[in-house]
């Protein structure tokens, strides 16, 4: 079936695909008999992304104005409607894609099932288009596309108020429509005869060879007859738009010795494009594939140009730098450079976002105008071809991981190249070595938490050591808040203490060179949580110094706790929760929830405030709370919300520390000398606030 008719102009971006465009337009118009769900699929390189991009131009009001709609086949032009939701899946987790959809439609749900319930309850249908499913996920080896299909697209397809279109790899396409009533879904496979468009490949090749569209002026491009003949030959032999693109690139980037009349060097597949180009340039295909192997195994947007030779040599097992130095004609048709602002990488690191973070200023590969050059393959199908030809992908990833580790200056992750720091976890995951890497608190602190979390979550829990489990528990807080490096370090420090790993907390203090806003003194887990706290002091016997203490209100029956009731006495020993409303501004005694008074049916634990250890024999009636005068004279004040605490200087109101929690705070108090006592449903802990340190924001 041809892609256009003689009477109408083809879509200027697509150049054909009339049959597929008609089906998409009917879906968009909700025409009688049209499916509610469309799954667009095909081999990698079949042009499904290009088709979807061109179709979305017809769905976006501003783009429609730039297209020759009057000249196009009316059956390929959808009606003018409000633009659909288009959450691109590239680089995102399944959960992130779902919440993009929820945000687009202003849903108020706080949980996954609530999103689908709200969509199902809508009065009018909504339209969602999800492109780039094959590129989902911050870590390639974590298989996020499958999770996106099963956890998001299939439930959306089953929601009657959602008109869904998704661009999905062929192995997953059927899962989107599985279980739907007949006629509800349609799978459009661009490689199937009814949807293929052989004429499109010829037109695509002829246009790509035309100097009017950017091709260099060469004998076979400036001569119209030669250009049309070569384009027809390329299109006739190529199996997909990607193969056309590769064939044209190879001819244009290395035209010396290229004979347009010799069809032996015109490829029929991605693999033959690699092989024929290498042979034409007088080298073997294996050399070319080894040069490209690090790019085929790369994460995110690609590898920094300065790492290419190191990683290619690691995979090949010998020095490939001479081949790379003179090999751009060889590798060039298959490689795409990407310029990334260096300052954007640093900002992403400080913001904990999805892009790569900082690195050394002026690092090799950064241009004078502050840009970093990354290299990636022209298309994911090239990566699939090269990976399939490697004897052992895990072994190649092991060699890359070792080379990346060697590239960390002084084994200091704070000095590492952003790619090394943020994406080594992805390489070690595919190598099967990630659990061994997850023992360095420096990596936990400095790596972008989005890809690191995705990689760690892909490892079976039983294979993770204790520090990795602590990171996994803390990571949702790091990604949700986009915590910068210093806050990541502070939150991980207190998490390590909570989980009984003080040596990791000390390592963060001792060797990372970060000025943390606090030091976690101790943490006490309590089943059932702690409902109220107060700081106080226990006078010593016969003139000895007083012992600072923390009084914790806990559920009756807590091991070591003593019941508090009528006749037990007052002081700080009681247990009613006072204050603590979200947003309360406090300084010491006004600090949210404190233990005051005493009610029957409550129990308390008395814990040392500065050192770990319960005081089982402490006399509750002798505990003295700071006076209001002492609290008012203290240099620090405390503000509390449901999931945050802020400590600030009274003199200038500057925040010197901000503590956030995945588990809502139930109580907090601040001693006059700056020890913060906090409680959650997990237990209680004490942090010494370093008021002279740099402030951090939550």
């Amino acid at each position: 079936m041809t892609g256009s008719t003689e009477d109408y102009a083809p879509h200027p971006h697509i150049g054909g695909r009339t049959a597929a465009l008609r089906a998409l337009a009917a879906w968009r118009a909700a025409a009688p008999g049209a499916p509610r769900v469309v799954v667009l699929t095909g081999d990698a390189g079949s042009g499904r992304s290009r088709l979807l991009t061109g179709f979305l131009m017809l769905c976006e009001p501003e783009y429609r104005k730039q297209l020759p709609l009057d000249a196009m086949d009316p059956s390929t032009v959808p009606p003018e409607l409000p633009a659909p939701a288009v959450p691109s899946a590239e680089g995102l987790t399944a959960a992130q894609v779902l919440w993009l959809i929820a945000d687009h439609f202003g849903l108020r749900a706080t949980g996954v099932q609530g999103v689908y319930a709200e969509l199902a309850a809508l009065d009018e249908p909504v339209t969602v288009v999800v492109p780039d499913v094959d590129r989902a996920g911050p870590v390639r080896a974590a298989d996020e596309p499958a999770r996106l299909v099963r956890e998001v697209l299939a439930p959306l397809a089953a929601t009657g108020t959602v008109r869904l279109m998704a661009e999905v790899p062929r192995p997953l396409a059927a899962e989107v429509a599985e279980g739907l009533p007949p006629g509800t879904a349609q799978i459009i496979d661009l490689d199937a005869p009814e949807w293929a468009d052989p004429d499109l490949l010829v037109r695509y090749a002829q246009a790509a060879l035309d100097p009017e569209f950017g091709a260099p002026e060469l004998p076979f491009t400036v001569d119209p007859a030669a250009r049309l003949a070569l384009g027809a030959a390329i299109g006739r032999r190529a199996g997909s738009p990607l193969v056309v693109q590769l064939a044209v690139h190879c001819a244009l980037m290395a035209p010396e010795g290229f004979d347009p009349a010799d069809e032996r060097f015109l490829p029929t597949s991605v693999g033959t494009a690699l092989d024929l180009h290498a042979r034409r340039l007088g080298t073997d295909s294996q050399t070319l594939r080894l040069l490209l192997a690090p790019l085929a195994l790369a994460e995110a947007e690609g590898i920094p140009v300065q790492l290419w030779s190191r990683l290619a040599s690691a995979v090949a097992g010998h020095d490939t730098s001479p081949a790379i130095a003179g090999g751009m004609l060889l590798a060039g048709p298959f490689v795409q450079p990407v310029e990334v602002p260096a300052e954007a990488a640093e900002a992403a690191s400080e913001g904990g976002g999805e892009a790569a973070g900082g690195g050394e200023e002026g690092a090799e590969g950064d241009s004078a105008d502050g840009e970093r050059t990354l290299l990636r393959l022209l298309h994911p199908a090239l990566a699939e071809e090269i990976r399939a030809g490697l004897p052992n992908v895990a072994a190649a990833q092991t060699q890359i991981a070792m080379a990346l580790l060697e590239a960390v200056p002084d084994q200091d992750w704070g000095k590492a190249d952003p790619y090394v720091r943020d994406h080594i976890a992805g390489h070690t995951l595919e190598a099967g070595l990630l659990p061994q890497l997850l023992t360095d608190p420096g990596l936990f602190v400095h790596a972008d938490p989005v890809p690191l979390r995705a990689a760690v979550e892909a490892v079976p829990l039983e294979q993770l050591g204790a520090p990795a489990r602590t990171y996994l528990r803390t990571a949702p807080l790091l990604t949700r808040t986009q915590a910068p490096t210093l806050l990541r370090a502070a939150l991980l420090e207190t998490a390590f203490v909570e989980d009984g790993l003080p040596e990791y907390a000390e390592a963060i203090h001792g060797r990372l060179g970060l000025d943390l806003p606090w030091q976690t003194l101790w943490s006490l887990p309590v089943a059932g949580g702690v409902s109220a706290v107060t700081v106080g002091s226990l006078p010593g016997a016969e003139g000895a110094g007083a012992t600072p203490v923390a009084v914790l209100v806990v559920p009756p029956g807590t091991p070591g706790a003593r019941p508090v009731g009528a006749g037990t006495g007052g002081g700080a020993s009681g247990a009613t929760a006072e204050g603590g409303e979200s947003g309360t501004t406090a300084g010491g005694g006004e600090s949210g929830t404190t233990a005051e008074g005493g009610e029957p049916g409550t129990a308390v634990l008395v814990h040392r405030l500065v050192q770990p250890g319960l005081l089982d024999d402490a006399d509750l009636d002798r505990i003295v709370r700071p006076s209001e005068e002492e609290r008012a004279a203290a240099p620090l004040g405390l503000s509390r919300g449901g999931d945050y605490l802020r400590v600030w200087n009274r003199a200038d109101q500057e925040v010197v520390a901000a503590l956030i929690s995945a588990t809502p705070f139930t109580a907090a108090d601040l001693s006059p000398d700056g020890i913060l006592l906090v409680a959650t449903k997990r237990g209680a802990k004490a942090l010494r606030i370093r008021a002279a340190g740099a402030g951090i924001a939550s």
Side-chain angles (χ1 to χ4, degrees):
M1 181 179 292
T2 59
S4 63
T5 67
E6 296 180 359
D7 298 328
Y8 298 108
H11 189 300
H13 179 76
I14 301 170
R17 297 285 192 193
T18 299
L21 273 176
R22 284 173 179 156
L24 301 187
W27 167 84
R28 177 64 168 145
R36 180 173 56 79
V37 176
V38 168
V39 181
L40 188 62
T41 191
D43 288 336
S46 61
R48 61 182 190 239
S49 294
R50 188 178 187 88
L51 171 62
L52 187 56
T53 298
F55 175 69
L56 289 174
M57 290 178 177
L58 293 166
C59 298
E60 212 288 325
E62 289 304 314
Y63 271 108
R64 284 175 67 98
K65 298 175 183 177
Q66 304 172 34
L67 296 175
L69 301 184
D70 293 340
M72 294 172 59
D73 183 342
S75 67
T76 66
V77 180
E80 187 167 4
L81 298 168
V86 188
S88 173
E90 184 172 3
L92 301 185
T93 65
Q96 287 174 314
V97 173
L98 180 63
W99 290 112
L100 282 178
I101 295 170
D103 289 344
H104 179 89
F105 294 115
L107 306 184
R108 298 181 179 181
T110 58
V112 170
Q113 294 307 314
V115 173
Y116 299 120
E118 284 197 43
L119 288 172
L122 294 175
D123 295 331
E124 297 289 337
V126 294
T127 305
V128 178
V129 179
V130 183
D132 304 319
V133 171
D134 59 327
R135 303 187 187 216
V139 175
R140 181 171 39 77
D143 199 18
E144 198 67 29
R147 184 176 295 111
L148 176 60
V149 166
R150 292 159 191 165
E151 297 180 6
V152 177
L153 297 185
L156 285 176
T159 303
T161 55
V162 176
R163 301 190 58 79
L164 176 67
M165 179 185 296
E167 177 207 345
V168 179
R170 184 182 288 113
L172 297 170
E175 293 191 40
V176 179
E178 189 174 357
L180 296 179
T184 302
Q186 179 181 30
I187 296 177
I188 298 177
D189 187 333
L190 294 184
D191 295 306
E194 64 267 33
W195 305 111
D197 188 350
D199 292 344
L200 176 143
L201 302 182
V202 172
R203 290 193 297 272
Y204 181 26
Q206 291 171 339
L209 291 166
D210 195 335
E212 183 179 345
F213 299 112
E217 294 187 354
L218 299 167
F220 55 83
T221 63
V222 296
D223 182 338
R227 179 176 68 244
L228 294 176
L230 177 58
I234 290 175
R236 196 168 52 246
R237 292 176 60 85
S240 70
L242 175 61
V243 177
V244 170
Q245 185 180 19
L246 295 178
V248 172
H249 278 204
C250 291
L252 298 183
M253 294 186 71
E256 291 77 10
F258 176 74
D259 182 358
D262 188 352
E263 292 192 8
R264 292 178 304 161
F265 287 100
L266 299 182
T268 58
S269 66
V270 172
T272 58
L274 291 163
D275 299 339
L276 293 175
H277 183 70
R279 187 194 311 167
R280 189 164 66 82
L281 269 62
T283 188
D284 62 286
S285 177
Q286 186 64 12
T287 296
L288 173 58
R289 289 169 181 261
L290 287 175
L291 291 182
L292 298 178
L295 307 182
L297 298 170
E299 296 287 335
E301 293 184 277
I303 62 172
V305 64
Q306 72 272 14
L307 287 176
W308 184 18
S309 178
R310 180 195 290 260
L311 300 185
S313 299
V315 174
H318 58 82
D319 184 11
T320 61
S321 54
I324 286 179
M328 280 315 295
L329 285 181
L330 179 63
F334 311 100
V335 174
Q336 181 179 32
V338 181
E339 299 297 331
V340 179
E343 62 272 15
E346 182 64 34
S349 174
E350 286 306 299
E354 292 169 9
E360 288 186 291
E361 187 175 357
E364 182 184 356
D366 291 1
S367 65
D369 58 359
E371 288 191 333
R372 286 170 50 80
T373 301
L374 305 179
L375 297 177
R376 66 184 180 192
L377 291 177
L378 195 65
H379 194 278
L382 276 165
E384 292 179 12
E385 170 67 26
I386 293 168
R387 288 163 60 87
L390 291 173
N392 188 321
V393 171
Q397 287 285 32
T398 297
Q399 296 306 315
I400 286 179
M402 295 302 103
L404 293 176
L405 279 174
E406 293 171 0
V408 180
D410 306 318
Q411 292 304 294
D412 182 346
W413 292 102
K415 299 177 181 177
D417 181 275
Y419 182 87
V420 177
R421 180 187 66 222
D422 296 335
H423 299 295
I424 190 172
H427 292 281
T428 54
L429 173 64
E430 194 162 28
L433 300 174
L434 182 55
Q436 292 92 304
L437 182 69
L438 300 176
T439 58
D440 190 338
L443 177 65
F444 293 145
V445 166
H446 287 289
D448 181 346
V450 172
L452 181 56
R453 174 189 177 184
V456 177
E457 287 180 337
V459 178
L461 191 61
E462 62 272 14
Q463 295 181 17
L464 297 177
R469 292 179 184 227
T470 296
Y471 183 84
L472 196 58
R473 176 175 71 82
T474 312
L477 186 63
L478 306 182
T479 55
R480 175 173 65 84
T481 60
Q482 298 189 342
T485 301
L486 190 60
L487 182 52
R488 290 202 295 264
L491 293 174
L492 285 166
E493 183 265 1
T494 196
F496 283 131
V497 175
E498 287 177 342
D499 291 351
L501 299 170
E503 66 275 21
Y504 282 86
E506 286 302 318
I508 291 177
H509 282 289
R511 65 180 177 85
L512 298 192
L514 298 172
D515 189 12
L516 300 189
W518 62 68
Q519 180 178 13
T520 305
L521 302 175
W522 54 265
S523 177
L524 180 69
V526 177
V530 177
S531 60
V533 297
T534 190
V535 300
S537 60
L538 186 64
E542 299 178 357
T547 300
V549 297
V551 181
L552 316 176
V553 179
V554 297
T558 299
R562 284 170 285 176
V564 176
T568 310
S573 64
T576 60
E578 174 187 74
E581 292 298 319
S582 177
T584 304
T585 300
E590 313 133 321
S591 64
T593 319
T594 59
E596 279 285 356
E599 292 185 358
T602 58
V604 297
L605 292 169
V606 180
H607 194 285
R608 295 180 183 273
L609 184 60
V610 181
Q611 295 89 20
L614 290 169
L615 296 172
D616 295 330
D617 57 353
D619 185 344
L620 301 179
D621 289 332
R622 298 185 66 230
I623 296 175
V624 179
R625 295 183 68 240
S627 67
E628 294 304 317
E629 290 76 13
E630 289 175 303
R631 292 187 182 276
L636 300 177
L638 175 65
S639 299
R640 176 188 158 201
D643 60 355
Y644 74 88
L645 295 168
R646 292 192 180 99
V647 179
W648 37 271
N649 276 320
R650 291 183 184 276
D652 57 11
Q653 305 294 302
E654 179 184 358
V655 174
V656 297
L659 181 63
I660 52 180
S661 175
T663 305
F665 295 110
T666 57
D669 199 4
L670 181 65
S671 72
D673 57 350
I675 295 179
L676 177 63
L677 178 63
V678 298
T680 68
K681 291 183 178 180
R682 290 173 53 90
K685 59 187 175 184
L687 298 82
R688 185 187 301 278
I689 303 300
R690 296 178 170 179
I696 56 175
S698 65

